[in-house]
Amino acid sequence: MNNSYDIIVVGAGHAGCEAAAAAANLGSKVLLITMNLNAIAQMSCNPAMGGVAKGQIVREIDALGGYSGIVSDKSAIQFKMLNKSKGPAMWSPRTQNDRMVFSNEWRMMLEQTENVDFWQDMVVELILEGGKCVGVKTQIGVEFKAKSVILTNGTFLNGLIHIGEKQFGGGRAGDRPSIGLTEQLVSLGFESGRMKTGTPPRVDGRSLDYSKMEEQPGDDKPSKFSFSNTSILTKQRSCHITYTNDDVHDILRTGFEKSPMFQGRIQGLGPRYCPSIEDKIVRFSERNRHQLFIEPEGWETCEIYVNGFSTSLPEDVQYKAMHLIPGFEKAKMFRPGYAIEYDFFQPTQLNITLETKGVEGLYFAGQINGTTGYEEAAGQGLMAGINAHLKINNEEPFILKRNEAYIGVLLDDLITKGTTEPYRMFTSRAEYRILLRQDNADIRLTERSFNLGLASKDRLDKVLSKQSDIESVIKSFERTSVDPKEVNEYLSTYSSSPLKQKVKASSVLTRPNVKITELMSYSEDLNNSLNSFSEEVIESAEILMKYDGYISREKDVADKMMRLENIKLHDNIDFSKLSSLSAEAVEKLNKVKPNTLGQASRISGISASDISVLMVHMGR
C-alpha cells in the first residue's frame, strides 16, 4: 500500500473528481479518498447538468481539459439550449442525464487516468506539521502523507437529515456523515457555519398520468457540452411540466407544525433560488400554483425526480399532497423528500487559488465553500487541482480573471464577498457576460490550458481551426454583396426596409431578426461560399458580426478595469495604519486581505475614496 502522494483529494463528488483528474493529468500522484466508491460523482440532487450560467461553466471546464462536459455528453438523455429567445450572452446549454450512467462514466474515466489511486474510508483528521497540511488520518487509523490536501466534503460535514420531526445523521440519504474535520478546523481558527439544502420525493414513473401534463421534449437539433468528439444525441427522453394547486397547498400546510424549517430545528440557510415547496407557499402566498418539472432519472429506469417539490415535511403529508397534483393521482413514492444541514467554511478564508490562508497546502473546493450546484463545485475542483499541482512544483498559480471565465467570477465572488447562503451562478453575476458566452469557451480558454499541459495538441489545433473558419465566414460576409431581388422578399417577412441596391451581406445581417442561415438560403453567392462550414462556426460568426459593437465596448471596459487588477497589494499591509481609510474599510480589508486593487474595489462596503487612498499608498 502506497502511503505517500503528491496530492490527496478528500471526497469524490463533482469537485473531488475534477480536482483528482486535473492534478493527475498534470503529473501529480493523486489519492482520491471517498466513503463509498460506488457513489463516485453521484448526482445527489436532480439528474441534470448545466442551465443558466451553469452550462457556461461546464463548457469552460471542458475547454480547460476537465471531464464534466465529456461525462455529461456520454450520459445525456436530453439536450436543451436555454434562453434562445434572448441574446447569445444568455444562451445556456443543459442536459438531462442518466444518473447511473453519469456516475459510472466518471468512475471509468478516473480509473483510466494515470496517477489516480483510490481509497474507501472516512477522513477524520488532517496531519499538520509546522502550520502546513502534510496528510490525513482515516477512520480505520491509516495515515496517508502528501504535499497538498484538497477537501471536497460536499454536504457530509456533520450532515443532518430532516424529515418532519425525524432527524438522523447523513451526508445524503443512505450515506453516513463525515465527523471530526469541522471540529479540527475550528480549533485551528477557521470560521464555520451551517447551510441547508433539500431534495424532492422520487416517484415511480409507471404510476404517473402524463396525459395531464405538458410534454417538454429536447431540442430538435440537439448540441452537446464538450468541444471534443463526443456524440450528439440521436434520440431523447422528454420531461414534463405540471403544477401544484390550492388543494395541494392546503394539505402541505397541515404539516407546517411538524416542519423542521418552520419550527426552528433547521439552523442553516437554504438556497434562495431553489426554495422548498413549503417555503414557496409562505413566501409567495399570492400564487395559487407552482410549476413542477418532471424529470426522468435515466434511459431505462422508471424513477422520476419531481423538480420543484423539494420538502422536509413529514412523509405522510408529502404523500397526501402529491396525490392532488394533476397526473400524480396514483403516484407511488420511492422515497420522500428531505432537507439536509451541513457545515461550510466562509470562503473569504481562501486565496484565489482556493488554498486556505490559515494552513499552507490545504485547499477547499465545492460546497465546503458555501456554493450549491454540481457545476460550481466541479469548476472549483478543477482550479484547486490545477493550483495544488502548480504550487508543489514551485510554479506560478493559474488564475482566471472576471473577464476571462465564469469560473473566474465564481472564485472572485467567493473569496472577496463570502456568502451567507448557498451561492449559485447566474449570468447577471458576470459583468462581462457578452464576452463569456458558451459558444466561445474553447477560444477563451483552450490555449491557456494547453500551455498548462492539460488540453491536448489536438484540442488546440481544433480551436485554431475553428477560429480560422469563423474569420473566413466573417470575411465572406464583408466582401459579398446581396441583390435586392434575392433578399427583399425575405426582409419583408420581418417588416424590414427593402434594399434599393446591392449592399454588403454583413450590413444586412446586423438588422433585427435577420438570421445568418436564412440569409444564406436567399443568397446564392453566400450559400456557395459558406455551405462547407459547420453550424457551430456559422453561429459563432453570426454572434460576432451582430454584436460587434457591444463586444468591442465590453472589451474596452474590461481592459480599463483590468488595470486595477494589475496593481498588486503587498501581503503585509496593515490597513489600520492608513488613517484616511474608513473604519469599515479597515475592518473588511484586514479580514479579506485582497491580492489586488481590483479585488479590493469589489469588497462590499469599500468606497471609491477608499480605493483612492490605497492608490496613493501604492504610489499611483
Side-chain angles (χ1 to χ4, degrees):
M1 190 167 65
N2 184 7
N3 287 75
S4 182
Y5 289 85
D6 293 319
I7 295 170
I8 292 173
V9 179
V10 180
H14 300 259
C17 288
E18 286 290 5
N25 284 324
L26 286 170
S28 284
K29 186 66 177 175
V30 177
L31 177 64
L32 181 59
I33 304 179
T34 175
M35 293 197 293
N36 185 357
L37 280 169
N38 293 322
I40 286 178
Q42 184 164 317
M43 293 177 132
S44 303
C45 203
N46 64 320
M49 287 291 285
V52 177
K54 292 168 174 280
Q56 283 86 329
I57 290 176
V58 176
R59 298 212 98 192
E60 289 175 354
I61 291 169
D62 184 75
L64 287 167
Y67 289 174
S68 288
I70 295 171
V71 173
S72 296
D73 288 345
K74 288 184 174 181
S75 60
I77 63 174
Q78 187 194 89
F79 180 91
K80 269 200 167 186
M81 185 68 74
L82 306 182
N83 288 335
K84 280 291 282 187
S85 62
K86 300 179 181 179
M90 305 291 284
W91 297 354
S92 302
R94 182 183 189 272
T95 53
Q96 201 70 39
N97 296 85
D98 186 307
R99 185 188 300 277
M100 290 178 282
V101 174
F102 184 93
S103 179
N104 187 61
E105 286 289 347
W106 248 117
R107 177 163 178 170
M108 292 302 99
M109 288 193 73
L110 286 172
E111 287 186 5
Q112 293 161 23
T113 300
E114 193 176 353
N115 294 326
V116 176
D117 286 349
F118 303 87
W119 184 257
Q120 181 170 292
D121 205 346
M122 181 195 297
V123 170
V124 295
E125 185 181 335
L126 301 174
I127 301 173
L128 304 173
E129 292 180 3
K132 183 176 182 180
C133 188
V134 296
V136 300
K137 181 184 289 186
T138 73
Q139 188 178 45
I140 65 173
V142 179
E143 291 188 2
F144 293 99
K145 294 294 185 73
K147 299 170 186 175
S148 285
V149 173
I150 304 173
L151 296 185
T152 68
N153 303 81
T155 60
F156 281 73
L157 291 177
N158 291 324
L160 184 63
I161 291 174
H162 298 265
I163 304 176
E165 296 179 303
K166 301 165 187 173
Q167 295 180 357
F168 48 94
R172 61 178 163 238
D175 287 310
R176 304 175 289 165
S178 175
I179 309 296
L181 280 178
T182 295
E183 292 72 19
Q184 182 187 14
L185 290 168
V186 170
S187 73
L188 293 170
F190 284 90
E191 176 191 351
S192 72
R194 294 285 277 177
M195 283 188 175
K196 85 103 178 170
T197 189
T199 193
R202 309 303 202 271
V203 300
D204 187 338
R206 297 169 299 183
S207 65
L208 302 183
D209 184 352
Y210 293 103
S211 68
K212 296 182 179 179
M213 308 180 199
E214 304 167 21
E215 185 177 7
Q216 297 289 302
D219 288 348
D220 291 335
K221 291 185 176 181
S223 184
K224 59 195 183 80
F225 274 120
S226 181
F227 296 100
S228 66
N229 60 353
T230 54
S231 300
I232 291 176
L233 286 170
T234 55
K235 63 175 183 175
Q236 301 184 69
R237 282 202 68 176
S238 290
C239 296
H240 290 79
I241 286 177
T242 186
Y243 297 87
T244 63
N245 51 55
D246 284 332
D247 292 336
V248 174
H249 300 172
D250 288 342
I251 294 293
L252 291 173
R253 287 188 185 98
T254 66
F256 281 9
E257 63 180 18
K258 295 182 179 180
S259 165
M261 185 173 69
F262 295 141
Q263 299 306 315
R265 290 188 293 277
I266 292 179
Q267 301 298 317
L269 282 171
R272 178 188 300 266
Y273 302 101
C274 188
S276 64
I277 187 65
E278 55 265 38
D279 197 15
K280 284 189 274 192
I281 292 172
V282 172
R283 284 169 55 188
F284 308 107
S285 57
E286 74 282 1
R287 298 187 186 178
N288 60 7
R289 70 174 193 171
H290 294 283
Q291 178 179 286
L292 304 178
F293 203 60
I294 312 307
E295 303 179 352
E297 297 260 1
W299 285 115
E300 306 297 337
T301 180
C302 64
E303 188 172 353
I304 297 293
Y305 181 92
V306 189
N307 195 338
F309 205 74
S310 173
T311 180
S312 58
L313 292 172
E315 67 276 10
D316 59 328
V317 175
Q318 297 182 35
Y319 191 71
K320 291 174 186 175
M322 182 181 290
H323 280 179
L324 298 175
I325 298 169
F328 278 70
E329 293 83 358
K330 298 180 180 179
K332 296 178 181 178
M333 187 186 289
F334 279 177
R335 53 189 164 113
Y338 62 87
I340 181 167
E341 276 189 292
Y342 56 94
D343 295 331
F344 83 105
F345 292 87
Q346 269 299 339
T348 51
Q349 300 169 104
L350 304 175
N351 294 311
I352 191 66
T353 60
L354 295 178
E355 184 180 23
T356 65
K357 295 175 181 176
V359 177
E360 187 180 355
L362 178 63
Y363 294 75
F364 292 171
Q367 283 178 287
I368 191 174
N369 290 333
T371 61
T372 182
Y374 309 142
E375 304 82 2
E376 289 92 341
Q380 292 172 67
L382 177 79
M383 296 299 286
I386 290 172
N387 281 303
H389 167 85
L390 293 175
K391 177 157 186 181
I392 64 177
N393 287 281
N394 299 313
E395 297 181 43
E396 287 296 309
F398 180 70
I399 297 169
L400 294 173
K401 297 186 177 72
R402 295 182 72 92
N403 66 327
E404 293 178 314
Y406 272 90
I407 295 173
V409 175
L410 167 68
L411 298 189
D412 184 67
D413 278 356
L414 290 175
I415 70 161
T416 303
K417 301 173 183 176
T419 185
T420 56
E421 62 186 39
Y423 176 103
R424 71 149 292 180
M425 182 54 71
F426 290 99
T427 51
S428 59
R429 296 193 192 273
E431 61 270 41
Y432 308 119
R433 55 187 169 274
I434 298 177
L435 304 180
L436 308 182
R437 305 182 309 278
Q438 57 85 29
D439 68 284
N440 70 353
D442 55 340
I443 293 173
R444 287 187 277 121
L445 300 172
T446 301
E447 186 172 3
R448 292 201 62 186
S449 179
F450 173 76
N451 292 335
L452 269 177
L454 265 184
S456 66
K457 182 66 163 55
D458 287 344
R459 280 283 192 113
L460 181 61
D461 289 343
K462 190 173 182 180
V463 170
L464 295 176
S465 176
K466 175 182 172 180
Q467 283 182 292
S468 176
D469 287 349
I470 290 171
E471 290 168 6
S472 295
V473 172
I474 292 173
K475 287 177 181 176
S476 289
F477 267 77
E478 290 174 342
R479 66 171 177 257
T480 303
S481 296
V482 292
D483 195 309
K485 296 177 183 177
E486 292 182 316
V487 300
N488 276 348
E489 180 185 352
Y490 167 61
L491 294 177
S492 67
T493 62
Y494 292 117
S495 300
S496 189
S497 300
L499 301 181
K500 296 180 180 178
Q501 59 186 25
K502 283 188 175 184
V503 299
K504 297 299 182 186
S506 55
S507 68
V508 178
L509 184 63
T510 59
R511 293 188 178 195
N513 300 316
V514 173
K515 298 177 179 63
I516 191 168
T517 52
E518 294 175 349
L519 185 59
M520 285 169 56
S521 68
Y522 280 87
S523 169
E524 187 175 346
D525 289 342
L526 281 177
N527 191 56
N528 290 338
S529 62
L530 301 176
N531 60 13
S532 62
F533 293 104
S534 68
E535 288 184 21
E536 179 187 18
V537 166
I538 295 290
E539 183 180 85
S540 293
E542 178 178 27
I543 291 169
L544 291 175
M545 286 187 280
K546 268 187 171 293
Y547 296 91
D548 178 59
Y550 297 100
I551 292 171
S552 297
R553 195 176 309 137
E554 197 158 276
K555 280 182 179 176
D556 290 341
V557 172
D559 289 342
K560 290 175 183 176
M561 289 302 298
M562 284 305 110
R563 294 170 193 167
L564 290 179
E565 298 297 333
N566 293 327
I567 303 176
K568 302 288 185 182
L569 296 175
H570 303 309
D571 294 336
N572 58 354
I573 293 180
D574 184 353
F575 296 102
S576 59
K577 292 183 178 179
L578 303 182
S579 57
S580 298
L581 288 175
S582 67
E584 182 179 7
V586 169
E587 178 187 341
K588 291 185 174 178
L589 288 168
N590 276 326
K591 181 177 182 179
V592 176
K593 295 191 181 303
N595 297 310
T596 68
L597 206 57
Q599 185 187 352
S601 71
R602 292 187 293 276
I603 299 173
S604 175
I606 304 298
S607 67
S609 61
D610 293 323
I611 296 300
S612 296
V613 171
L614 291 175
M615 291 184 76
V616 170
H617 177 73
M618 299 300 294
R620 302 288 178 136

